[in-house]
Amino acid sequence: MTLQVFLIFAAALFSVGLYGALSQQSIVMIMMGLELMVNAIIVGAAAFWYFVSPTMADGQVLVLVAVTAMAVEMAVGFAVTTAIFRKRDVDMTDMAADLKG
C-alpha cells in the first residue's frame, strides 16, 4: 500500500466525521463525528511517519500521545454530556443553548 492510499482513507474518514458532526443535533453523535475526525488525523500522521522515517520512534510517540489525548478528551466529553443529561434531561444541542456564556 502506498502513502496515497492511506491519505485517501484518512481524507474519507475525516469527511465522514465532518458530515456527522455538522449534520447531527444529538450531542453524542456530534462527539462521534469528532472522534472520527481525530482518528483520521491520527491515521494520516501514522502514515507519514511510516513512509518518511520508519526507523525513528518519533512518529510512534506522537501517535501514542494523540491517541491518549483523544481518549481523555472523549471521556471528559461523555462525562459532561452524561452530567448535563442527568441534570436537565437535555440530549440535543438546541436544548442546551442556555449553557453558552
Side-chain angles (χ1 to χ4, degrees), residues 79-91 98-99:
V80 169
T81 302
T82 303
I84 291 171
F85 180 75
R86 286 182 181 169
K87 183 74 174 177
R88 297 190 180 171
D89 200 25
V90 171
D91 63 346
D98 62 333
L99 298 176

Side-chain angles (χ1 to χ4, degrees), residues 66-77:
V67 168
T68 304
M70 179 187 66
V72 169
E73 178 230 343
M74 285 297 147
V76 169

